[in-house]
Amino acid sequence: IYGGDCSKMGIPSLENDVIGLDLDLSLNLRATTFVLTYGLTDRLDIGVAVPLVSVSLQGTSNAQVVPFGPNIAHFFAGTVDNPVLTASRFEEGSATGLGDVAARVKIGVSESAKARFAILADARLPTGNKDNFLGSGQYAIRGVGIVSAQFGNFSPHANVGYLYRSGALNNDYFLATAGFDHLLAPWATLAVDVISELQSG
């Protein structure tokens, strides 16, 4: 019927039609987090972070059918004799609510006049509604070793740890932070940090 072997790509010619799609998507997120930390002892802190999240999403799509040949086979509306080859759509929505709550424990392991070492563990709970982009819908657990020192006006510090994230589509991370604070003058302090995440898996 079409003058060739229809098992081949491009036969019939309508297989060469193209649908071009331009998508404009905008997501705005604003979070206000309330943090409470309480020292149970001189070496043990517990804490919780409760975020209130506001999200707005706007999306616009514009599509156009580009026929390959003179015969129109694909169209969004109308008829073969009077086809509509373009279509557009606009969607928007917003949501406000509780985000993913985080709980934290920090234990001071050792302390001297010059240096201190502590261990931090925190967990992020999937309390936010993931369908409305208020939360991730997955658990995340982080363990970090913290060391800090004091040499006069110079205070170096470093954190090393691991972040586990549940879910088949999420990767874990090795975490490392290093930096220092240096008092330059009574009114000025220089603070420098290098923060890194190395993907695992």
Side-chain angles (χ1 to χ4, degrees):
I1 295 175
Y2 295 104
D5 183 0
C6 288
S7 65
K8 296 180 178 179
M9 290 293 294
I11 300 176
S13 61
L14 60 87
E15 290 185 357
N16 296 304
D17 287 359
V18 173
I19 299 177
L21 177 65
D22 290 325
L23 177 65
D24 183 14
L25 191 64
S26 174
L27 176 66
N28 294 304
L29 185 145
R30 191 171 293 157
T32 303
T33 304
F34 298 91
V35 179
L36 174 66
T37 302
Y38 184 74
L40 294 177
T41 69
D42 289 343
R43 292 182 178 270
L44 178 63
D45 295 354
I46 60 171
V48 63
V50 180
L52 295 179
V53 181
S54 178
V55 179
S56 63
L57 176 70
Q58 291 183 333
T60 303
S61 61
N62 296 294
Q64 181 174 6
V65 176
V66 182
F68 181 77
N71 297 323
I72 304 297
H74 301 107
F75 48 91
F76 293 108
T79 64
V80 175
D81 297 325
N82 188 22
V84 177
L85 301 179
T86 60
S88 63
R89 185 164 183 174
F90 174 77
E91 293 288 344
E92 65 178 344
S94 63
T96 300
L98 180 69
D100 289 347
V101 173
R104 186 188 80 166
V105 175
K106 185 177 75 172
I107 302 171
V109 177
S110 65
E111 182 175 351
S112 67
K114 292 290 185 183
R116 288 172 287 181
F117 177 69
I119 296 174
L120 170 72
D122 66 12
R124 181 167 292 184
L125 311 175
T127 52
N129 186 331
K130 70 173 184 175
D131 295 330
N132 288 333
F133 301 106
L134 298 177
S136 65
Q138 307 289 343
Y139 288 93
I141 300 172
R142 179 178 61 149
V144 179
I146 305 167
V147 62
S148 62
Q150 181 82 38
F151 303 101
N153 294 332
F154 182 70
S155 303
H157 54 264
N159 301 347
V160 177
Y162 191 80
L163 173 64
Y164 164 79
R165 301 195 320 170
S166 66
L169 300 178
N170 293 326
N171 290 319
D172 299 345
Y173 288 90
F174 291 100
L175 309 173
T177 300
F180 65 87
D181 299 342
H182 185 61
L183 182 66
L184 301 176
W187 50 269
T189 300
L190 174 65
V192 176
D193 274 297
V194 176
I195 303 171
S196 64
E197 293 182 347
L198 177 63
Q199 182 173 292
S200 171

